[in-house]
Amino acid sequence: MGFGSKWRMWIDSYLSSGKASVLVNSSPTLEFAFKRGVKQGDPLSPFLFIIAMEGLNAVMKSASQHNLFKGVQLPNCGPIVSHMMYADDVMFIGDWNTGDTVNLARLLRCFNLTSRLKVNFNKSKVFGIGGD
């Protein structure tokens, strides 16, 4: 996304330097390092998530332009919509066909491998509207 090396180093050190301890009988244990990521409630977490989701946005735009995932054309020569994002939710909108479905699964897998963000399939749903 064009971030300089110093900026990337700041983010990397932020993500890898978190430490915590646990209270046992009102006494803190020795500090231990987090294995990865930021913890819930961290004030920078939403900003880092937005940066990661911008990567997914770019991937979906490119996939749509290269006909790997065909979005839906809005009426009256409106724009083609392939996805919408709000907070930490994403809705993919496209043709109901095997090729687009397989390509979307591949795109999400690549996104997972590059960002380490996983799709929670227990919270995911697929709807077919206006199809056979």
Side-chain angles (χ1 to χ4, degrees):
M1 292 178 56
F3 292 111
S5 60
K6 190 171 190 174
W7 213 90
R8 292 192 315 267
M9 183 192 68
W10 285 341
I11 291 176
D12 185 53
S13 63
Y14 176 76
L15 292 174
S16 61
S17 65
K19 293 183 180 180
S21 65
V22 179
L23 290 177
V24 178
N25 296 328
S26 301
S27 298
T29 64
L30 293 175
E31 285 189 345
F32 56 91
F34 295 133
K35 296 238 181 218
R36 62 182 182 147
V38 294
K39 300 303 159 221
Q40 187 172 3
D42 190 303
L44 282 181
S45 185
F47 300 111
L48 295 174
F49 185 77
I50 288 169
I51 291 171
M53 294 310 287
E54 183 57 33
L56 179 60
N57 183 49
V59 165
M60 289 306 299
K61 282 183 177 179
S62 179
S64 184
Q65 289 171 350
H66 292 94
N67 293 321
L68 295 173
F69 185 82
K70 194 178 345 175
V72 175
Q73 174 96 40
L74 295 181
N76 300 323
C77 298
I80 296 174
V81 178
S82 62
H83 63 289
M84 292 190 284
M85 299 177 171
Y86 179 76
D88 61 348
D89 293 323
V90 181
M91 180 169 51
F92 298 101
I93 305 162
D95 274 352
W96 192 255
N97 64 60
T98 305
D100 279 9
T101 305
V102 168
N103 285 337
L104 178 60
R106 289 176 178 158
L107 291 167
L108 290 174
R109 177 68 177 140
C110 289
F111 178 70
N112 164 246
L113 292 172
T114 57
S115 70
R116 296 189 207 148
L117 295 174
K118 295 180 183 177
V119 174
N120 185 341
F121 289 106
N122 292 324
K123 293 183 176 180
S124 301
K125 295 187 179 11
V126 176
F127 297 100
I129 300 172
D132 295 335

